[in-house]
Amino acid sequence: IKTFNMKEKSKLVVLREIAKRFEPKQLYTEKEVNEVLKTAYDDFATLRRYLIEYGFVDRKPDCSQYWLKEGVTGK
């Protein structure tokens, strides 16, 4: 991704594709999530925030564990 300044519908398409990089039912640390997201876009914090806001990924309140929400990628 060169920029994340795009229309809402396009963001959803991009986020869905990025979410496919995570395995269902696997727990990730924040560092592991960042490493995956860095391969898509330099501003990994923005991607992480949008993945959570749009319901692709969930996390514990203390941010110690992240996981792909069930059924979001069709895997």
Side-chain angles (χ1 to χ4, degrees):
I1 303 170
K2 295 197 188 303
T3 180
F4 204 62
N5 291 333
M6 54 184 77
K7 293 184 179 183
E8 208 72 14
K9 192 172 182 179
S10 297
K11 279 183 184 175
L12 285 170
V13 171
V14 169
L15 290 170
R16 185 170 287 112
E17 287 303 310
I18 291 171
K20 290 178 181 178
R21 297 177 183 203
F22 296 94
E23 291 297 319
K25 299 182 182 179
Q26 182 173 330
L27 297 176
Y28 295 89
T29 64
E30 184 172 315
K31 184 178 180 182
E32 291 170 329
V33 170
N34 292 345
E35 290 302 316
V36 171
L37 298 179
K38 282 180 190 178
T39 65
Y41 186 51
D42 289 339
D43 188 358
F44 57 87
T46 295
L47 289 181
R48 190 179 63 236
R49 184 173 60 249
Y50 275 106
L51 284 168
I52 293 165
E53 284 181 18
Y54 283 88
F56 290 98
V57 172
D58 208 351
R59 67 179 176 194
K60 284 190 168 185
D62 66 358
C63 302
S64 64
Q65 292 182 324
Y66 292 73
W67 59 89
L68 184 66
K69 283 190 165 182
E70 283 191 42
V72 298
T73 63
K75 280 189 175 181

